[in-house]
Amino acid sequence: MTCFFWFEPTEVLRAAETFRSDRKAASLHRLSMESTPQPTFSKWVHNILNTTQVTRNVILLALLFIYRLKRLNPAVRGRAGSEYRLLTVALMLGNKCKLFQISNCKRCANQR
């Protein structure tokens, strides 16, 4: 998903948002080669997720950050290799948001 969000043009992302499986194949866009993750990137992602043990919510939040970055900045075009940095930062932000929520919840609970 990281590569799809990062390397596809905004028009393709918009089309994917409204995609229905009963559409004819002729209306589908061909994805760019970069949208398919390289085996090295897939291996790296697997290693990072296993090593850090981040939760599914953090992963989904990271993907949401990447998606929103691309949707709000349609002129942004990723370069080969930038997906590593992009996902790293998105996971860091997602984890930080999760930790911030937990600390605020604990602080609120302590104030009661």
Side-chain angles (χ1 to χ4, degrees), residues 2-4 6-7 34 36-38 40-42 44-45 66 78-90:
T2 300
C3 293
F4 174 71
W6 191 232
F7 293 116
E34 297 144 332
T36 304
Q38 297 295 318
T40 54
F41 180 69
S42 296
W44 178 83
V45 169
I66 295 168
R79 291 186 183 170
S82 63
E83 65 271 23
Y84 292 88
R85 292 184 299 276
L86 177 71
L87 186 58
T88 299
V89 171

Side-chain angles (χ1 to χ4, degrees), residues 20-35:
R20 293 189 353 226
S21 61
D22 59 347
R23 271 188 172 170
K24 296 190 190 300
S27 65
L28 298 177
H29 297 279
R30 181 169 286 273
L31 299 179
S32 66
M33 293 285 292
E34 297 144 332
S35 292

Side-chain angles (χ1 to χ4, degrees), residues 52 54-55 57-59 61-62 65 87-105 107:
T52 59
V54 293
T55 64
N57 289 342
V58 170
I59 297 166
L61 188 56
F65 288 152
L87 186 58
T88 299
V89 171
L91 286 169
M92 289 169 61
L93 288 173
N95 199 46
K96 187 159 183 84
C97 287
K98 182 180 177 239
L99 292 174
F100 179 74
Q101 285 179 332
I102 290 171
S103 67
N104 279 344
C105 289
R107 191 177 309 132

